[in-house]
Amino acid sequence: MFDIFKRRAKEAPPATADGDFAAIQPSDARATSVEPIASSESTAVTVTASEPPLRPAPTWRDRLKSGLGLSREKLAGALTGVFRRRTLDEQALEELESALLTADVGIDATAFLLEDLRARHRRCVTDSDPRSLLRDALIDLLEPLEKDLAIASQRPFVIMLAGVNGAGKTTSIGKLAKWLQEKGYSVLLAAGDTFRAAAREQLAVWGERNNVQVIQQSGGDPAAVMFDAIAAATARGIDVVLADTAGRLPTQGHLMDELRKVKRVLCKARAGAPDEIILVLDANTGQNGLAQVRAFDAAVGLTGLIVTKLDGTAKGGVLAAIARQHPIPLRFIGVGEGVDDLHPFVASEFVEALLPEAETA
């Protein structure tokens, strides 16, 4: 009996200073051993939860490649057979012709590219890669459009923007204002679409978002708004005035006459203005965009283009048609709704996103 009590006493936990038994450590494989603390002072241990690393924001090249996905799929998909054979025989050229027309490159630009490819192929000493030849031909065709927007010393520098309804003109003005601010320029917006309240409200929202002044009035003469905007910009020392105009179709003669009037008034308000006349094109219009370029250029003399909504269309090849038939400097392209989704056009970047080197890209 006494042996039993002695054995139980040995197995019992040691008593604390208060006379209570210390807590029994449960037998658990997940329990960790506790290292003895050398110092008699208590040590606080802070445990912080590990946070997942922040994913870097997509670069412009990433956004452009993603935005041109529909155009790339249509073009590259149609060219699969051509790229697999890696030779430019007549059958391959026929397939290439069909693919380019499907991507809305247009008849004239397609014929030009095919003839250019034949010449490049003949100059090759060894077998050439059709994909590489096509990329080089497209870059050479589009590079003449690659001209940066340069803000001259005249103040205020006046940029007049035109386009049909729904092309994304007002949104492009807001994005362009942001781009100019990042370059260090002060900006003022002129709401020249006086008859459409929604356009004025949208421009006011962009002005508030970018902390930019907006000159506007309800109804009245759009040309008067332009005159007031130039006067205000001159008095306030503003660098750049972005002049919005009412959306119109090229076939609407009276509205095109109004556009000419706006141009004349801007010139009266500041000699030599406007410094830039930019047409905003919706890429979804495809070959119709080429007709718009011709009509607006004939009416007011375009100095540049902005092509929007390339992320929602498979007709990105229309840039090749413009470059071939009516080349106007392509100042910016847009591939999304974000304020940073408007970027100066670079031919090599565009072709890389439209037709990557690797077929799996």
Side-chain angles (χ1 to χ4, degrees):
M1 178 69 71
F2 287 108
D3 292 338
I4 296 175
F5 283 126
K6 287 180 181 180
R7 190 165 57 248
R8 288 180 178 176
K10 290 180 180 180
E11 295 173 352
T16 64
D18 296 332
D20 296 328
F21 288 109
I24 300 176
Q25 177 71 28
S27 176
D28 190 340
R30 293 174 298 176
T32 57
S33 61
V34 179
E35 295 292 333
I37 300 176
S39 173
S40 60
E41 298 179 359
S42 60
T43 303
V45 179
T46 303
V47 179
T48 57
S50 59
E51 297 181 358
L54 294 177
R55 183 174 299 177
T59 64
W60 164 250
R61 289 176 182 268
D62 293 334
R63 298 201 303 273
L64 180 60
K65 186 175 180 180
S66 175
L68 289 175
L70 293 176
S71 294
R72 182 174 60 254
E73 288 175 10
K74 177 168 285 191
L75 181 60
L79 292 174
T80 300
V82 179
F83 294 150
R84 185 181 297 116
R85 284 197 299 274
R86 300 181 67 84
T87 182
L88 280 177
D89 54 23
E90 286 305 313
Q91 182 181 352
L93 288 170
E94 288 181 5
E95 293 180 12
L96 178 57
E97 180 181 25
S98 177
L100 291 173
L101 291 173
T102 301
D104 234 42
V105 171
I107 295 175
D108 186 81
T110 296
F112 174 81
L113 285 171
L114 291 178
E115 186 58 35
D116 189 18
L117 282 173
R118 286 189 179 95
R120 291 173 186 269
H121 184 63
R122 286 194 296 268
R123 292 195 298 267
C124 291
V125 178
T126 58
D127 290 341
S128 56
D129 178 12
R131 178 187 289 268
S132 178
L133 291 180
L134 180 57
R135 283 165 50 86
D136 292 343
L138 279 171
I139 291 173
D140 288 348
L141 177 60
L142 293 174
E143 271 187 342
L145 303 184
E146 186 183 315
K147 294 182 180 179
D148 293 336
L149 175 64
I151 307 300
S153 58
Q154 182 71 50
R155 293 291 181 271
F157 189 87
V158 181
I159 302 175
M160 174 179 163
L161 293 104
V164 304
N165 282 327
K169 178 164 49 63
T170 305
T171 300
S172 295
I173 290 174
K175 296 178 181 180
L176 182 55
K178 179 68 174 178
W179 183 85
L180 288 166
Q181 286 179 313
E182 291 176 347
K183 299 297 180 182
Y185 298 106
S186 57
V187 182
L188 182 143
L189 307 182
D193 192 349
T194 59
F195 300 105
R196 199 162 60 94
R200 298 194 306 274
E201 293 171 359
Q202 186 180 8
L203 201 64
V205 169
W206 277 107
E208 183 178 353
R209 183 181 301 178
N210 295 331
N211 195 24
V212 170
Q213 303 168 54
V214 180
I215 304 299
Q216 60 177 314
Q217 63 176 247
S218 178
D221 188 355
V225 175
M226 300 302 176
F227 194 90
D228 292 344
I230 299 299
T234 302
R236 300 169 189 176
I238 299 296
D239 295 321
V240 182
V241 172
L242 298 179
D244 190 13
T245 59
R248 65 206 69 228
L249 294 174
T251 55
Q252 296 172 308
H254 65 292
L255 290 179
M256 297 299 279
D257 288 339
E258 182 185 275
L259 198 62
R260 297 184 186 96
K261 179 182 177 181
V262 168
K263 180 182 177 182
R264 291 194 301 270
V265 170
L266 286 172
C267 187
K268 290 179 180 179
R270 203 226 74 198
D275 302 282
E276 285 276 336
I277 302 177
I278 295 178
L279 176 66
V280 179
L281 288 174
D282 180 348
N284 289 284
T285 60
Q287 290 296 303
N288 186 46
L290 181 59
Q292 292 179 33
V293 171
R294 288 172 172 156
F296 279 91
D297 190 30
V300 292
L302 299 175
T303 62
L305 303 174
I306 293 177
V307 177
T308 66
K309 307 179 185 179
L310 281 164
D311 55 314
T313 181
K315 300 179 179 181
V318 69
L319 299 190
I322 293 173
R324 177 60 184 164
Q325 296 187 53
H326 205 96
I328 299 288
L330 180 52
R331 304 299 192 193
F332 298 90
I333 57 176
V335 292
E337 294 299 323
V339 70
D340 296 322
D341 290 327
L342 189 73
H343 199 273
F345 173 71
V346 178
S348 58
E349 290 181 350
F350 181 84
V351 173
E352 168 60 28
L354 182 66
L355 197 65
E357 291 185 359
E359 289 193 32
T360 57

